[in-house]
């Protein structure tokens, strides 16, 4: 399955469904890198209000091609995960629009790495 | 002091954005009439003035960042996030009518709003970067899951298990 930048996948808990609920993840890495060793880098999304803080990037329905499954969703910008393509067990659930994705990447660059991530 | 003043500005901007949402809705009602484009051009002039004001505020905050560093800016952050929500709603309304863009003024509105959103995200980032950070009392389940996922992937890459 092609894993494209900006795709949103629901990834199951790494140690099985008994350990916890699946979380949506927004793919940050580009297709070429994802295909190299069938891995991809994604940022975790949650709707938990307890974890909302300055490392949260608020996600709105308007930022995606389809409305979000849960309200009050936010990306946990410091929780970047490395996953295998085969960790995906269902089709993508959404795609983030280009402009808000650019804002997300700039925020991750600035607030997590103290670097300017600028698109080409 | 800067933080307090900025909160007042954000309050005014929030009210102004609610008006823009109404303006956009009114435009689509008026569109069949010839006055609609003049109405939209006038709105665009106001939006450009608003954009310049936002850019000016951002540059001012950037130049005076030492004065807001480690202040509790949570109120300002919450205000700007609410404002961003409204602007995205306005942009969404516009995009639904831009499938076949015939009006240059409408396209201009869309472009100005996109730029407004960009500068608002820049300002939000600046505030988040410099606000007083609250210490975390416990590691979240999300953090544990993220680390487990990456650890599992690395183990398979490095050790094949």
């Amino acid at each position: 399955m092609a894993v494209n930048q900006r795709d949103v996948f629901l990834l199951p808990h790494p140690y099985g469904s008994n350990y916890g609920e699946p979380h949506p993840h927004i793919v940050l890495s580009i297709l070429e890198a994802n295909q190299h060793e069938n891995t991809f880098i994604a940022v975790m999304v949650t709707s938990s209000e307890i974890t909302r803080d300055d490392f949260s990037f608020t996600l709105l329905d308007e930022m995606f091609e389809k409305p979000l499954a849960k309200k009050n969703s936010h990306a946990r910008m410091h929780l970047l995960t490395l996953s295998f393509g085969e960790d995906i067990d269902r089709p993508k659930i959404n795609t983030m629009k280009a402009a808000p994705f650019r804002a997300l990447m700039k925020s991750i660059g600035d607030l997590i790495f103290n670097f300017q991530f600028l698109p080409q | 002091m800067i933080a307090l003043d900025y909160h007042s500005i954000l309050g005014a901007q929030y009210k102004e954005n609610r008006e823009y949402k109404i303006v956009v809705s009114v435009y689509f009602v008026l569109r069949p009439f010839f006055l609609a484009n003049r109405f939209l051009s006038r709105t665009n002039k106001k939006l450009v003035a608003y954009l310049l004001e936002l850019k000016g505020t951002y540059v001012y905050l950037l130049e005076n960042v030492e004065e807001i560093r480690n202040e509790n800016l949570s109120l300002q952050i919450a205000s700007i996030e609410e404002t961003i929500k409204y602007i995205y709603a306005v942009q969404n309304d516009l995009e639904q009518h831009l499938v076949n863009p015939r009006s240059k003024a409408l396209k201009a509105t869309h472009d100005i709003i996109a730029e407004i959103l960009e500068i608002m995200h820049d300002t939000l980032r600046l505030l988040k970067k410099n606000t007083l950070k609250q210490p975390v009392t416990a590691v979240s389940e999300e953090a544990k899951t993220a680390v487990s996922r990456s650890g599992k992937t690395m183990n398979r890459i490095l050790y094949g298990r």
Side-chain angles (χ1 to χ4, degrees), chain A residues 47-101:
Chain A
S47 57
S48 160
E49 271 307 305
I50 306 163
T51 57
R52 188 183 282 276
D53 56 26
D54 296 321
F55 291 114
S56 296
F57 182 94
T58 300
L59 300 172
L60 307 168
D61 285 348
E62 292 84 2
M63 294 176 173
F64 292 85
E65 288 182 359
K66 289 187 283 188
L68 294 160
K70 288 186 178 176
K71 297 294 166 199
N72 301 314
S73 291
H74 50 108
R76 302 293 287 144
M77 289 188 282
H78 62 306
L79 300 183
L80 305 176
T81 67
L82 179 65
S83 304
F84 272 114
E86 56 256 37
D87 290 336
I88 298 167
D89 64 355
R90 62 199 88 184
K92 72 171 179 180
I93 56 169
N94 215 331
T95 304
M96 195 170 190
K97 291 179 184 171
F101 181 77

Side-chain angles (χ1 to χ4, degrees), chain B residues 66-81:
Chain B
E66 287 305 323
E67 289 193 48
I68 56 168
R69 185 161 292 157
N70 293 327
E71 294 262 340
N72 183 356
L73 303 171
S74 54
L75 274 177
Q76 288 81 358
I77 288 168
S79 296
I80 207 161
E81 284 196 325

Side-chain angles (χ1 to χ4, degrees), chain A:
Chain A
M1 182 195 298
V3 178
N4 289 294
Q5 193 178 48
R6 300 191 281 119
D7 280 353
V8 185
F9 289 99
L10 204 56
L11 296 182
H13 192 282
Y15 295 111
S17 56
N18 291 339
Y19 288 85
E21 283 191 2
H23 277 277
H25 288 69
I26 304 167
V27 178
L28 305 180
S29 46
I30 57 169
L31 180 65
E32 192 182 4
N34 301 342
Q35 286 176 330
H36 188 62
E37 287 199 75
N38 195 27
T39 60
F40 63 94
I41 295 167
V43 64
M44 186 188 272
V45 173
T46 182
S47 57
S48 160
E49 271 307 305
I50 306 163
T51 57
R52 188 183 282 276
D53 56 26
D54 296 321
F55 291 114
S56 296
F57 182 94
T58 300
L59 300 172
L60 307 168
D61 285 348
E62 292 84 2
M63 294 176 173
F64 292 85
E65 288 182 359
K66 289 187 283 188
L68 294 160
K70 288 186 178 176
K71 297 294 166 199
N72 301 314
S73 291
H74 50 108
R76 302 293 287 144
M77 289 188 282
H78 62 306
L79 300 183
L80 305 176
T81 67
L82 179 65
S83 304
F84 272 114
E86 56 256 37
D87 290 336
I88 298 167
D89 64 355
R90 62 199 88 184
K92 72 171 179 180
I93 56 169
N94 215 331
T95 304
M96 195 170 190
K97 291 179 184 171
F101 181 77
R102 203 163 48 239
L104 170 66
M105 286 301 275
K106 279 169 94 174
S107 293
I108 290 173
D110 198 7
L111 299 175
I112 309 301
F113 297 101
N114 198 26
F115 266 81
Q116 282 193 348
F117 287 2
L118 297 172
Q120 287 184 341

